[in-house]
């Protein structure tokens, strides 16, 4: 171990990182060193993500320079001067990591463009696609804790998928020590025209003219605030009421434990502001603004509910050119398939993540979503989830409904009476042991409970042995009487997640919507109560 650490120190160009590792060596902190040298960060959901610390198992200058060198070598296999666009958010070291990546790739002979300011991930995804770049790099850890950062990679405008991740990882492993990686300042810094073009593109996606709606908003200390305010103004909406404590970028995220709108308590300040301001809807972005959370009437809507509303909005209002396609993931609600059938459209299911959803179809793919608050309402603009354009779409839908005296929740009731009620709930358990989630999945497959929450469990399907042509993934699907549960480890955090769904037929819902919702909520609560101890 000492030899490995000494070799890394010798090749690390960052004096602070060298001092951090030398201090651990001098203190004899074997546990900390073992953690930092357990192995290199691996490509998970579209790239690297991990804690900002010295050593190969962290996000730091040495890791980023070698990652950039490896990505450059991979890209050069397809041509002599590939084109790359690089963006970054406002986290600690994001600009430094992005600028270092630009210098490394420029020295490797690539044509490199660096966004000139901290901007949302969707703006980088748009820029890479709009400028016909071979690749895009976004330095962000999205909604992870403040101590983390990441390195998200796009190829041909979409997130990477296997085997691209493995090939890039192999190229990184072959890169020289970071101190030996060449640097050059021969890259271009892009000006504000990219953001103007992005705003022009997303505001042109409008499907209705209604704009009379009051909005409360928070960027959760991230980079979405200024961009969202410009987007609302350009689209014709009134300036939203913004949570003042969270309005400006702050990489320490001081008002939240985790800067993720899904986490309990993360949107408390937003909901309080919405109540004081009398807002019709409340919207939260995560720190890099690729996710969008929505609340109305003091209640946060689930990602599945927002996905259903947006799909219905697009399928009923977008001009048709052939038979449209909508897509969602194996852990999201099956309601999208029922809605598509009712709207004379097609629906498909992919593995979790927009790297799969973006590839679910061609021009016929008009909408895609995942329950983790990710929505793509303009796939010809951004072939990834986009919390800015999704917020604009949900605002115009709320305005159109308001004109007729209805709300988003009223529209959800109307859809439930038509296609049935698909009530969903997510559970998550954090584990310090990275293999704990896999062991829970293995146990559920080998010792499947015959009943959960008073409901019979019909079967347990191992998702690593896929059906319906899907690639293998880690997880288990429990098929219940009148519902299902999908359990899988998170791809971005040390969490085990469970996705519950209870289905009530339309003929029952239409008799009494409120009673059907109460019954579904009770059933979800029973399932949660029995399942949660099994996940821990």
């Amino acid at each position: 171990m000492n030899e490995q650490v000494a070799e890394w120190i010798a090749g690390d160009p960052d004096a602070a990182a060298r001092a951090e590792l030398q201090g651990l060596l001098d203190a004899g902190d074997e546990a900390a060193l073992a953690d930092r040298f357990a192995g290199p960060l691996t490509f998970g959901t579209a790239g690297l993500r991990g804690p900002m610390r010295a050593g190969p198992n962290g996000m730091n200058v040495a890791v980023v320079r070698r990652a950039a060198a490896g990505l450059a070598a991979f890209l050069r296999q397809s041509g002599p001067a590939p084109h790359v666009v690089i963006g970054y958010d406002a986290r600690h070291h994001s600009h430094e990591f992005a600028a270092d990546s630009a210098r490394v790739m420029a020295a490797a002979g690539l044509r490199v463009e660096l966004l000139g300011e901290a901007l949302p991930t969707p703006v980088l995804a748009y820029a890479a696609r709009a400028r016909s770049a071979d690749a895009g790099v976004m330095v962000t850890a999205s909604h992870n804790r403040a101590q983390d950062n990441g390195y998200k990679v796009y190829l041909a405008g979409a997130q990477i998928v296997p085997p691209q991740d493995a090939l890039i990882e192999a190229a990184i492993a072959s890169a020289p020590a970071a101190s030996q990686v060449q640097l050059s300042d021969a890259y271009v810094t892009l000006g504000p025209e990219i953001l103007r073009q992005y705003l022009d593109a997303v505001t042109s996606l409008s499907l209705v003219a209604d704009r009379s709606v009051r909005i409360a908003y928070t960027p959760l200390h991230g980079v979405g605030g200024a961009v969202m305010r410009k987007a609302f103004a350009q689209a014709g909406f009134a300036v939203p009421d913004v949570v003042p404590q969270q309005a400006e970028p702050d990489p320490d995220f001081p008002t939240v434990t985790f800067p993720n709108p899904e986490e309990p308590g993360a949107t408390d300040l937003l909901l309080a502001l919405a109540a004081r301001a009398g807002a019709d809807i409340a919207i939260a972005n995560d720190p890099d603004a690729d996710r969008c959370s929505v609340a109305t009437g003091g209640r946060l809507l689930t990602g599945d509910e927002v996905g259903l509303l947006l799909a219905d909005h697009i399928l009923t209002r977008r001009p048709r050119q052939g038979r449209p396609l909508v897509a969602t993931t194996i852990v999201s609600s099956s309601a999208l398939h029922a809605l598509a059938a009712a709207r004379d459209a097609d629906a498909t299911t992919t593995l979790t993540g927009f790297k799969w959803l973006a590839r679910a179809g061609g021009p016929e793919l008009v909408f895609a979503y995942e329950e983790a608050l990710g929505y793509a309402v303009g796939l010809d603009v951004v072939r990834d989830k986009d919390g800015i354009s999704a917020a604009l779409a949900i605002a115009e839908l709320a305005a159109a409904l308001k004109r007729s005296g209805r709300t988003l929740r009223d529209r959800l009731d109307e859809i439930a009476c038509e296609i049935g009620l698909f009530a969903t709930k997510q559970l998550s358990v954090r584990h310090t042991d990275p293999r704990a989630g896999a062991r829970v999945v293995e146990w559920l497959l080998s010792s499947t409970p015959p009943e959960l929450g008073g409901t019979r469990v019909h079967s347990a399907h191992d998702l690593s042995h896929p059906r319906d042509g899907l690639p293998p993934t880690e997880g288990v699907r429990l098929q219940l009487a009148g519902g299902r549960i999908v359990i899988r480890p998170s791809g971005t955090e040390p969490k085990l997640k469970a996705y519950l769904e209870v289905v009530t037929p339309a003929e029952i819902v239409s008799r009494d919507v409120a009673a059907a919702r109460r019954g579904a909520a009770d059933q979800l609560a029973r399932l949660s109560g029995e399942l949660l101890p099994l996940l821990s």
Side-chain angles (χ1 to χ4, degrees), residues 28 31 88-89 120 207 229 295 342 436 456 473 511 522:
Y88 56 95
D89 66 9
L207 298 176
R229 289 192 292 271
R456 182 183 173 190
T473 189
R511 294 176 200 155
D522 289 344

Side-chain angles (χ1 to χ4, degrees), residues 125-133 194 197 381:
Y126 165 81
R129 185 174 173 84
R131 299 185 72 78
S132 301
I194 284 294
Q197 292 165 7
V381 173

Side-chain angles (χ1 to χ4, degrees), residues 250-507:
D250 188 331
D252 294 318
F253 309 113
T255 67
V256 293
T257 304
F258 289 93
N260 181 352
E262 291 182 293
E263 292 286 342
T267 55
D268 286 354
L269 291 174
L270 172 66
L271 295 176
L273 172 64
R276 291 195 307 271
D280 299 298
I281 58 172
I283 294 173
N285 286 136
D286 65 339
D288 69 327
D290 63 350
R291 287 173 169 81
C292 176
S293 179
V294 179
T296 182
R299 179 175 81 82
L300 285 168
L301 301 182
T302 68
D304 285 316
E305 288 175 324
V306 176
L308 192 64
L309 286 167
L310 289 174
D312 180 58
H313 180 57
I314 290 169
L315 290 176
T316 55
R317 291 173 174 85
R318 177 167 173 154
R320 295 206 168 204
Q321 296 177 347
R323 189 175 173 89
L325 173 69
V326 291
T328 192
T329 71
I330 58 172
V331 301
S332 303
S333 173
S334 51
L336 188 67
H337 286 261
L339 179 74
R343 300 290 179 269
D344 194 29
D346 294 322
T348 190
T349 301
T350 73
L351 292 184
T352 304
F354 262 84
K355 61 184 179 182
W356 302 111
L357 285 169
R359 293 171 170 81
E364 74 279 7
L365 182 63
V366 298
F367 175 70
Y369 94 93
E370 59 182 356
E371 54 71 44
L373 311 182
Y375 317 98
V377 300
L379 285 137
D380 52 343
V381 173
V382 175
R383 208 145 185 95
D384 197 3
K385 56 185 175 291
D386 181 352
I388 306 293
S389 60
L392 291 174
I394 205 72
E396 71 174 29
L397 172 58
L401 291 168
K402 184 179 180 179
R403 183 161 56 89
S404 60
R406 295 141 70 213
T407 67
L408 297 177
R409 291 169 69 174
D410 292 332
R411 184 60 190 146
L412 284 170
D413 284 347
E414 293 166 2
I415 295 172
C417 288
E418 180 187 3
I419 67 170
L421 174 61
F422 296 75
T424 60
K425 182 176 182 179
Q426 183 191 131
L427 300 176
S428 63
V429 176
R430 291 185 178 272
H431 291 284
T432 55
D433 180 355
R435 288 297 301 162
R439 285 195 292 271
V440 172
V441 169
E442 292 166 3
W443 180 84
L444 286 169
L445 286 167
S446 62
S447 305
T448 307
E451 184 180 281
L452 282 171
T455 301
R456 182 183 173 190
V457 179
H458 288 307
S459 62
H461 172 54
D462 184 355
L463 297 179
S464 66
H465 296 86
R467 299 171 179 172
D468 303 325
L470 292 174
T473 189
E474 192 173 14
V476 57
R477 177 188 175 107
L478 304 178
Q479 193 64 47
L480 313 178
R484 60 102 174 111
I485 300 171
V486 178
I487 300 165
R488 60 178 290 274
S490 169
T492 58
E493 300 176 86
K495 295 198 297 188
L496 183 65
K497 292 185 174 183
Y499 308 84
L500 289 64
E501 180 176 68
V502 171
V503 182
T504 308
E507 56 268 24

Side-chain angles (χ1 to χ4, degrees), residues 75-82:
L75 293 171
R76 289 196 62 174
Q77 295 173 9
S78 60

